[in-house]
Amino acid sequence: MKLKRKNGLRATALGALAVSGALVLTACGSDDNSGGGDNSAKPTTASSEVCKDAKGQLLASGSSAQKNAMDLWVKNYMATCSGVEVNYKSSSSGEGIVAFNQGTVGFAGSDSALKPEEVADSKKMCTDGGQGINLPMVGGPIAIGYHLEGVDSLVLDAPTLAKIFDSKIKNWDDAAIKALNPDAKLPNKPIQAFHRSEDSGTTQNLGKYLGASAASDWKYEAEKKWPAPGGQAASGSAGVATQVKQVDGSIGYFELSYATSQQISTVKIDTGASAPVEASSENASKAIAAAKIKGTGKDLALDLDYTTKADGAYPIVLVTYEIACDKGNKPATLATMKSFLTFTSSEDGQKVLSEAGYAPIPAEINAKVRETVASLS
């Protein structure tokens, strides 16, 4: 599936934004992103309130899953709030949390909620008795991308995916894959499965899906470090997507925006619903809409249903959290951080997500995010 719907709009939003590594944008230095067109923010009376007290430079790092969304947000924010510089370093969820707990960034991005030990570590950095909290900001499907010459449509289910990524299914013409794709001309070709080389929330969310939906075939704990033997490793979602794009016979996992921007075919998932479900923003939204808040106090960590069989609900989803202190944030960047996160959680900020291959956070939950952002101190 190559996402023909909205393809032109998404290509406009992402084509000029597929840049690896950290992106530093200043109000007068975004020529490379002039192709954003319709997604560019225009200053308004309301936006002047968003920009109030924002100044200087804001550093953040973490999740590469949200990189394309963050690129777009930073570009639009800079067009709205002049004189402010935002630098988001796309690395990994694990590295972002470490940087946050070491106090080297204003906030971090993570595709998994903070663990209890990570919350404990955050209390050493957050002053005034504060601690790190999870603010859901980006939703979206984890696409299973593949490159198989002559096969333009592919259906897999959770048990088959688990066996592929666990090196139990080694060839594309395996009987299990044939059963799910009776009309496809599957070649007698080795499967080359790619996974993330560093700690990754995307890896952990894939593991949660496989553990919930294929428990008898995926025996590993859902951790950020890739658990299974075999396969090949690549750095970041961008690295995995690049390998899948280049290598015939390959399969890997990454956020939908990477598949969209590089025109990588993606797998439809047989969930047991009336028809296999494709990876799309709309279908991911159907799954994320059923999420429940499991965090307490100001923490808004979500509980996702990876076993949904609802028609049109794509089950392999993640939510990326921005990690900040509930209180005791760094005084020098507090106002700018609140300004930026107010912008990303705004109606306009969330609206551009679906145009870029992501899924907006459900309105009821996002209202709580905006309320929490306003209360940060």
Side-chain angles (χ1 to χ4, degrees):
M1 188 276 295
K2 295 189 178 182
L3 290 180
K4 295 180 180 178
R5 298 194 304 273
K6 297 186 181 178
N7 198 46
L9 179 57
R10 289 177 181 169
T12 298
L14 290 173
L17 295 172
V19 185
S20 63
L23 176 72
V24 182
L25 289 176
T26 61
C28 59
S30 55
D31 293 345
D32 290 344
N33 299 309
S34 58
D38 293 342
N39 288 332
S40 296
K42 297 178 177 61
T44 63
T45 302
S47 68
S48 65
E49 184 63 27
V50 170
C51 302
K52 183 180 180 182
D53 297 327
K55 60 182 178 180
Q57 183 184 63
L58 174 64
L59 301 179
S61 68
S63 165
S64 66
Q66 68 171 357
K67 177 191 181 303
N68 291 328
M70 191 61 71
D71 286 354
L72 192 55
W73 276 334
V74 169
K75 172 189 173 239
N76 287 356
Y77 178 73
M78 291 318 214
T80 303
C81 301
S82 62
V84 186
E85 182 181 314
V86 177
N87 181 337
Y88 180 80
K89 180 182 178 182
S90 171
S91 51
S92 69
S93 298
E95 291 173 83
I97 291 172
V98 169
F100 175 75
N101 282 341
Q102 290 178 342
T104 60
V105 294
F107 71 90
S110 175
D111 309 328
S112 295
L114 292 168
K115 295 179 179 179
E117 59 267 29
E118 292 169 336
V119 174
D121 285 343
S122 74
K123 293 179 180 179
K124 302 172 186 176
M125 191 278 295
C126 301
T127 60
D128 301 329
Q131 66 179 46
I133 58 171
N134 303 283
L135 301 171
M137 201 68 71
V138 184
I142 301 174
I144 306 298
Y146 72 97
H147 179 175
L148 192 59
E149 296 295 339
V151 179
D152 296 326
S153 179
L154 186 68
V155 175
L156 296 174
D157 58 13
T160 306
L161 272 175
K163 292 171 186 174
I164 288 173
F165 282 116
D166 198 20
S167 301
K168 299 293 176 55
I169 291 179
K170 300 179 183 295
N171 267 54
W172 280 109
D173 62 350
D174 187 273
I177 302 177
K178 282 184 174 180
L180 291 164
N181 300 274
D183 298 326
K185 295 181 180 179
L186 297 166
N188 180 13
K189 182 177 294 183
I191 296 173
Q192 298 193 57
F194 287 90
H195 59 263
R196 293 281 291 274
S197 60
E198 71 289 342
D199 285 3
S200 161
T202 309
T203 294
Q204 188 171 41
N205 280 279
L206 176 65
K208 288 178 181 178
Y209 163 73
L210 294 174
S213 298
S216 61
D217 296 296
W218 190 258
K219 301 295 187 180
Y220 306 102
E221 293 294 325
E223 298 291 346
K224 292 177 182 177
K225 184 177 179 63
W226 181 255
Q232 301 179 60
S235 178
S237 291
V240 175
T242 296
Q243 291 299 317
V244 172
K245 176 73 172 180
Q246 294 176 348
V247 179
D248 185 23
S250 61
I251 190 169
Y253 59 94
F254 33 79
E255 294 66 44
L256 181 61
S257 62
Y258 291 91
T260 303
S261 62
Q262 297 193 47
Q263 294 296 293
I264 297 172
S265 298
T266 61
V267 171
K268 294 180 181 178
I269 303 298
D270 184 345
T271 64
S274 61
V277 186
E278 64 183 15
S280 72
S281 298
E282 296 83 356
N283 292 343
S285 292
K286 292 178 182 177
I288 295 173
K292 305 295 183 185
I293 295 175
K294 64 179 180 180
T296 58
K298 293 184 178 181
D299 185 82
L300 300 179
L302 301 179
D303 186 16
L304 299 170
D305 181 9
Y306 297 97
T307 63
T308 179
K309 292 180 173 58
D311 283 347
Y314 185 80
I316 318 177
V317 294
L318 61 75
V319 168
T320 293
Y321 301 95
E322 312 311 338
I323 309 298
C325 300
D326 55 357
K327 56 183 177 178
N329 288 282
K330 298 164 69 174
T333 56
L334 174 61
T336 305
M337 179 186 69
K338 291 178 67 173
S339 169
F340 182 67
L341 296 183
T342 297
F343 183 87
T344 62
S345 61
S346 69
E347 185 175 332
D348 287 342
Q350 290 290 300
K351 182 179 179 181
V352 301
L353 291 178
S354 59
E355 298 166 357
Y358 294 94
I361 298 300
E364 182 179 348
I365 295 173
N366 193 48
K368 295 181 180 180
V369 172
R370 289 198 293 266
E371 179 182 335
T372 302
V373 168
S375 73
L376 298 179
S377 63

